[in-house]
Amino acid sequence: MKTKRFLALALVFCMVFTLAACGGGTKEAEKGFEMTICIASEPETIDPALNRAVDGAVMIQHMFEGLMKYADSGTGNAEVKEGQAASYTISDDGLVYTFKLRDDAKWSDGKAVTADDFVYAWQRLVTPETAAEYNYMIDAVVNANEIMAGEKDPSELGIVALDESTVQITLHTPTPYFLEVCAFPATYPVRKDIIEQSGDQWTFDTATYIGNGAYKLSEWEHNSYIRMVPNENYYDFEKLGPDSIKFALMDDTNAILAAYRSGELLHIWNPPIDETPALLKSGELIPADYLGTYYACFNVQKAPFDDPRVREAFSLVIDRNYIVTQITGTGEVPATGFVPNGVNDLAGAGHDDFRTMGGDYY
């Protein structure tokens, strides 16, 4: 869900999507199987460091890969495992992570992925001029906060290349979830040579949008579609699925549903609200657990929202139960705090879920 499209609601939500059982149209048959889907309209960006939206992250995750990645655990849940890293070690004090890259880690243009690619990407992420909203994801890394504040140079970030295939990252505080951070899109490697040559236009051209993920960008017709094809240089190329993936870029939910029903789209997110009950009944709409929170943003610099009592009144007047039962109707849970249910508490804290400790805001 794009930040700019957040609804003025406060509730934990389930991502919902539809998946057709039929195949695609015959017009693409000669190209092999093409998976046609629609998850959102034109992405705000597909730059790993600058992206701040779910739809952008989905596309980026197809075309880039971090030191770690999420994979099916076989139990219906995802687990974090080695991605571009072949192996890793963690120091006894939990502060130093050393990753050894795969021998066959390559960019989509055939060049080898190196430790310096990760160093550059992480330094770029915290450089103030980059203005990356997710720069705080690596704030546990030594000097990250000081660099983001403009107090130190990016070269002082606690990440170094010990050699061409070894990345070492030093934290200032033990961070039990750090391997998950290394699977987050903002931490994916990017190519210094390409970005320095093409600047902020590097993501718009298939010749310069070079990734290291399972798929690569083959076409981008703005406000129409993005097409990806398998990256022949990906280490798991032989295990990849569709011969191409076409992301239709649409924002009219009625038009999206019509395209799904005609067979033009095989998989969609966010169908029209008034169609939800029928789609659930038919089994086409499948609610899937998703960790996130819808929330309202207030401009606290201007009246009336500069008054905390007004903000509290708005929070109290929202009937979260009515919204999830009568409007959305796909299993959402009313939010009682900013951190949603489903976030595990720190081991040893005596609680299974952070919300147990965090309590309710209202």
Side-chain angles (χ1 to χ4, degrees), residues 298-309:
F298 301 104
N299 184 344
V300 299
Q301 303 300 319
K302 295 184 177 181
F305 298 118
D306 57 343
D307 187 334
R309 296 171 299 175

Side-chain angles (χ1 to χ4, degrees), residues 17-337:
F17 59 91
T18 59
L19 181 63
C22 61
T26 58
K27 62 181 179 180
E28 296 293 341
E30 68 276 9
K31 299 181 181 179
F33 175 62
E34 177 170 76
M35 186 70 183
T36 55
I37 70 178
C38 181
I39 60 174
S41 56
E42 181 87 357
E44 188 175 52
T45 179
I46 50 173
D47 184 325
L50 299 180
N51 175 68
R52 56 178 183 167
V54 171
D55 57 304
V58 169
M59 296 175 189
I60 291 167
Q61 284 180 320
H62 280 76
M63 298 183 284
F64 287 82
E65 187 173 277
L67 291 164
M68 306 296 289
K69 67 179 181 180
Y70 282 99
D72 187 356
S73 66
T75 63
N77 297 312
E79 65 177 350
V80 176
K81 61 181 296 185
E82 292 86 352
Q84 294 289 283
S87 61
Y88 64 88
T89 60
I90 307 173
S91 62
D92 292 340
D93 60 6
L95 295 178
V96 181
Y97 287 70
T98 305
F99 298 89
K100 189 70 175 179
L101 299 183
R102 294 175 176 273
D103 293 334
D104 53 358
K106 293 183 179 181
W107 293 99
S108 55
D109 64 355
K111 292 186 178 180
V113 176
T114 69
D116 283 330
D117 293 327
F118 284 94
V119 173
Y120 170 71
W122 286 45
Q123 290 178 350
R124 176 176 180 255
L125 180 63
V126 295
T127 299
E129 290 74 21
T130 304
E133 291 200 22
Y134 276 120
N135 54 14
Y136 66 86
M137 290 298 297
I138 60 171
D139 62 2
V141 178
V142 166
N143 291 331
N145 289 305
E146 290 81 359
I147 295 167
M148 289 186 281
E151 299 168 0
K152 289 191 175 183
D153 189 80
S155 63
E156 298 180 78
L157 186 66
I159 179 172
V160 295
L162 299 182
D163 54 46
E164 284 194 353
S165 61
T166 309
V167 181
Q168 187 172 84
I169 303 170
T170 304
L171 311 183
H172 57 70
T173 304
T175 307
Y177 56 86
F178 186 68
L179 290 177
E180 296 180 35
V181 170
C182 294
F184 191 76
T187 68
Y188 294 170
V190 290
R191 285 272 290 275
K192 180 180 181 180
D193 58 328
I194 290 174
I195 294 176
E196 288 188 342
Q197 178 180 344
S198 302
D200 59 7
Q201 298 299 303
W202 76 278
T203 62
F204 297 110
D205 190 337
T206 56
T208 55
Y209 194 68
I210 304 300
N212 66 325
Y215 283 76
K216 62 182 181 180
L217 183 67
S218 64
E219 293 180 78
W220 187 354
E221 291 291 333
H222 292 281
N223 296 302
S224 181
Y225 66 87
I226 283 177
R227 179 176 279 117
M228 305 172 190
V229 296
N231 172 12
E232 66 275 13
N233 291 301
Y234 187 62
Y235 60 87
D236 257 352
F237 173 74
E238 297 300 329
K239 297 180 181 179
L240 299 183
D243 297 296
S244 65
I245 304 174
K246 180 180 179 181
F247 288 83
L249 306 176
M250 305 168 66
D251 57 10
D252 183 326
T253 57
N254 289 300
I256 292 169
L257 182 59
Y260 162 74
R261 285 177 167 159
S262 70
E264 181 182 343
L265 295 174
L266 303 182
H267 176 97
I268 67 174
W269 289 2
N270 306 318
I273 291 294
D274 57 355
E275 296 283 354
T276 295
L279 290 168
L280 285 170
K281 186 176 181 180
S282 71
E284 294 173 282
L285 182 63
I286 306 170
D289 289 342
Y290 189 89
L291 200 65
T293 306
Y294 278 80
Y295 58 90
C297 292
F298 301 104
N299 184 344
V300 299
Q301 303 300 319
K302 295 184 177 181
F305 298 118
D306 57 343
D307 187 334
R309 296 171 299 175
V310 173
R311 299 197 296 271
E312 182 179 10
F314 265 75
S315 180
L316 292 172
V317 78
I318 294 174
D319 189 339
R320 296 159 176 80
N321 291 311
Y322 179 84
I323 291 170
V324 301
T325 59
Q326 302 299 317
I327 300 178
T328 57
T330 50
E332 293 85 350
V333 179
T336 60

